Amino acid sequence: MQPQSNIILPKADPVIDVRGLGKRYHRDHVKLPSAHETIEGAIRRASGWSKPAPPDEFWAVKDCSFQVNRGETVGIMGRNGAGKSVLLKMLARVIKPTAGEALLRGRVTALLELGSGFHPDMTGRENIFFSGAIRGYGRAEMNRRLPEIVDFSGVGSFLDTAVKRYSSGMFMRLAFSVAIHLDMEILILDEVLAVGDAGFRDRCLEKVREVSRNGCTILMVSHEKGVVSDFCTRALYIDHGQLIMDGAVEDVLELYRTGTLSDPLASRSSVA
Amino acid sequence: MIWESRELTLLLARRNVHLRYQYTVAGLGWALLQPLLTVIVLSAFRLMMGYRTTDNVPYGLYVGTSLVPWTFFVHALTLSAHSVLKHTSVLFKVHFPRIVLPLSSVAGAAADLVIGLALLPILMIYFRFLPHWTILLLPLFALQVVLFAAGLGIWMAYLNTKYRDLANALPFLTQLWFFLTPIAYTSNVIADKWRPLAGLNPMLGIIEGFRYAITGAANPFMPVWALTSLAITAFLLVTGTYRFLQTEDILTDLI
């Protein structure tokens, strides 16, 4: 592990420890060779007609290393396709890294999308309990949280109505409410706050702030400068799957805006 | 780990059953109708062919007894084969023990099995047939078919994720399997020398077991078949679970 002198560590208690994390994909990974292609390939190789094509690989995330201390809120910025979501998915353990490892200490809630696991034909109540169960929270625990969840979501008398009858705003409020009221120590957010009207967004952000105040460690992907500078104590900048910068929010915002580092002092961090 | 996620498994199973019948008129009655209609069709077919099977047991009851576990088995297999791909979107968003997908599919189909079993007393009343004391063994054979469906179902869920050919082949394969298993006919047609080998079809032991439970009479080879079936079930459960848990992490890469 290399020393990272440019990071201001509040207190060294890393709850997220990412080491050399990488994910390699084959551009054609989904396609299995069909029967005739397999035979054709075998003949070609046997007869020496042609060399097998080099595997078409690319690294969606490559050699990422960083730590996040307890209670920190860290923003992740980068252009579309930079690898932010793949990184978060590896941290959320829905994708297995090709290289390296990510250690997360404590209960994790990954909110990669609002309403994951919700079924339109099920009622709000049923979806609340299912959402909890799929994240490992039992019936008793969800029962305890139910009043808070319902209260924040404002679904009120629609609690026992199928969520397909909900307005999209109501649906999002409920989905966000279930996730945010779980008892977690690490929260991973992937741009989920970009949807919804301003009122909803502000209430969600207020809730995130509250969760943060209670000591929860937060990792969030956002394209919104305001959100990142308001919430984050630190930020990461990712480009072409690589961690370009790990430092102060202003520096990362500058890099995100211009694509270059204008401040020569900032180049002390690892610029490729 | 599987034990820890029992709550999720049951919740998902309940959700699947609920969604399956939510907007149907017959609802869970479908679990009864399917084997019942097959019994009627096969009985009519038998009349046309003039095929004589069993002297002391009415054919309708005889075939109904084998169709109840068979209908469940095909249903459980189909549901678990599709279980992983059906939940693709949530697989990419939430980390949870993936094995609950095939397990809950089998559990959901087992609810249908329980309803389907109600067909047997209906047929018994219709044919005025008094069951043998061996009916007390019925739950054991019912459990065996559920376990076998789970063992094969876990394998199917994994294999169908990797080789999508399976989803296309499954209806066809189960249809062939239906004709190769003595469901519509009696196991007496199996020549003596083939009897030990025939037991490699685990459904044979289960279906003969069901017949034994209801009628008290069965092929003398039934215990061997039932035990072979049990051994294969245990093998499939252990290897399937092991394979699935091993691949669980990279399931999203296979999709």
Side-chain angles (χ1 to χ4, degrees):
Chain A
M1 215 187 329
Q2 65 275 46
Q4 295 185 312
S5 53
N6 56 322
I7 303 167
I8 311 112
L9 298 171
K11 49 185 185 304
D13 182 13
V15 287
I16 301 178
D17 190 354
V18 176
R19 296 176 192 173
L21 203 64
K23 181 68 185 175
R24 184 184 57 209
Y25 281 112
H26 300 273
R27 285 193 172 83
D28 54 356
H29 86 287
V30 272
K31 196 173 159 291
L32 285 170
S34 65
H36 79 266
E37 281 168 340
T38 310
I39 295 164
E40 196 184 298
I43 294 171
R44 275 173 188 275
R45 272 191 303 279
S47 60
W49 281 352
S50 66
K51 300 257 182 310
D56 196 5
E57 298 174 349
F58 72 101
W59 288 84
V61 171
K62 196 173 184 186
D63 200 22
C64 262
S65 298
F66 61 91
Q67 291 185 332
V68 180
N69 292 315
R70 186 179 305 280
E72 267 191 296
T73 298
V74 175
I76 300 179
M77 303 198 83
R79 288 168 209 294
N80 288 332
K84 308 180 295 294
S85 292
V86 173
L87 176 64
L88 289 196
K89 283 191 168 84
M90 285 193 282
L91 298 183
R93 293 173 66 199
V94 295
I95 289 180
K96 193 183 181 178
T98 316
E101 57 179 350
L103 299 169
L104 283 82
R105 281 180 266 273
R107 259 182 141 167
V108 181
T109 294
L111 199 46
L112 303 180
E113 176 195 63
L114 281 181
S116 303
F118 269 46
H119 196 287
D121 282 332
M122 305 297 277
T123 68
R125 186 193 302 272
E126 287 163 334
N127 276 310
I128 290 172
F129 282 98
F130 186 76
S131 256
I134 205 167
R135 293 184 150 94
Y137 295 81
R139 180 154 206 95
E141 209 167 347
M142 291 310 286
N143 254 324
R144 220 170 40 243
R145 313 232 161 257
L146 191 63
E148 278 178 290
I149 294 172
V150 175
D151 186 51
F152 181 84
S153 69
V155 294
S157 58
F158 288 91
L159 185 61
D160 291 305
T161 304
V163 296
K164 67 179 173 187
R165 309 266 179 240
Y166 284 23
S167 69
S168 52
M170 245 164 100
F171 179 91
M172 286 188 294
R173 279 203 302 276
L174 183 64
F176 180 81
S177 183
V178 181
I180 205 75
H181 286 99
L182 297 175
D183 196 11
M184 68 250 170
E185 285 139 90
I186 298 173
L187 175 65
I188 296 174
L189 292 168
D190 190 359
E191 270 191 283
V192 288
L193 302 177
V195 289
D197 60 27
F200 168 67
R201 230 195 55 164
D202 290 347
R203 282 183 60 207
C204 291
L205 289 174
E206 191 42 53
K207 197 72 202 174
V208 171
R209 204 183 291 278
E210 189 187 311
V211 166
S212 168
R213 269 200 300 270
N214 292 335
C216 184
T217 308
I218 301 174
L219 204 55
M220 55 157 81
V221 162
S222 181
H223 288 293
E224 291 176 77
K225 276 189 276 178
V227 172
V228 175
S229 56
D230 276 6
F231 279 83
C232 300
T233 45
R234 211 177 102 203
L236 312 176
Y237 184 81
I238 294 181
D239 193 29
H240 290 92
Q242 285 178 305
L243 182 59
I244 302 293
M245 190 184 209
D246 176 350
V249 172
E250 312 85 75
D251 294 344
V252 171
L253 282 176
E254 176 70 11
L255 182 58
Y256 180 64
R257 195 172 59 80
T258 59
T260 52
L261 293 162
S262 54
D263 178 5
L265 282 176
S267 59
R268 68 206 153 166
S269 61
S270 55
V271 181
Chain B
M1 194 195 75
I2 295 172
W3 179 245
E4 278 168 21
S5 44
R6 64 193 183 283
E7 196 170 342
L8 176 58
T9 307
L10 290 178
L11 205 55
L12 193 54
R14 257 185 51 192
R15 186 167 96 155
N16 289 343
V17 174
H18 179 81
L19 292 172
R20 192 155 64 232
Y21 296 120
Q22 190 175 27
Y23 296 109
T24 59
V25 179
L28 271 169
W30 274 111
L32 212 59
L33 272 173
Q34 256 174 301
L36 178 64
L37 293 175
T38 319
V39 166
I40 293 169
V41 169
L42 285 176
S43 300
F45 189 69
R46 172 174 167 268
L47 275 179
M48 288 188 291
M49 302 294 284
Y51 171 60
R52 287 184 60 79
T53 44
T54 46
D55 294 321
N56 41 8
V57 181
Y59 180 75
L61 177 63
Y62 188 79
V63 80
T65 304
S66 47
L67 276 169
V68 168
W70 179 260
T71 310
F72 154 76
F73 172 66
V74 172
H75 195 189
L77 211 56
T78 312
L79 289 176
S80 35
H82 290 99
S83 62
V84 172
L85 294 180
K86 205 179 98 184
H87 292 91
T88 302
S89 67
V90 74
L91 285 172
F92 278 98
K93 304 295 180 192
V94 185
H95 171 76
F96 63 94
R98 276 46 167 131
I99 202 161
V100 303
L101 295 175
L103 288 182
S104 62
S105 303
V106 175
D112 284 17
L113 174 64
V114 172
I115 306 288
L117 284 172
L119 180 67
L120 298 180
I122 293 172
L123 289 174
M124 280 188 254
I125 292 167
Y126 178 80
F127 290 111
R128 302 197 187 341
F129 185 90
L130 209 60
H132 201 251
W133 68 266
T134 47
I135 196 164
L136 296 173
L137 296 174
L138 195 69
L140 287 181
F141 291 111
L143 183 65
Q144 190 175 350
V145 74
V146 172
L147 290 178
F148 175 56
L152 201 55
I154 293 169
W155 267 112
M156 290 292 141
Y158 159 70
L159 288 172
N160 190 43
T161 312
K162 205 165 178 193
Y163 312 101
R164 311 275 162 98
D165 311 67
L166 196 65
N168 298 325
L170 203 57
F172 173 67
L173 290 178
T174 50
Q175 201 179 14
L176 284 185
W177 199 340
F178 173 82
F179 289 113
L180 288 173
T181 309
I183 294 165
Y185 52 93
T186 75
S187 55
N188 295 331
V189 302
I190 305 170
D192 282 355
K193 59 171 179 177
W194 294 113
R195 283 187 181 173
L197 209 62
L200 291 179
N201 172 5
M203 283 310 284
L204 178 58
I206 289 166
I207 275 162
E208 283 297 313
F210 264 76
R211 282 174 181 164
Y212 176 67
I214 296 293
T215 66
N219 194 300
F221 247 84
M222 189 278 283
V224 178
W225 289 338
L227 286 176
T228 316
S229 170
L230 205 59
I232 295 175
T233 300
F235 174 77
L236 287 175
L237 271 176
V238 171
T239 54
T241 307
Y242 178 75
R243 190 88 195 98
F244 197 97
L245 293 182
Q246 227 184 12
T247 341
E248 204 171 35
D249 290 349
I250 58 155
L251 218 50
T252 43
D253 286 343
L254 295 176
I255 289 169

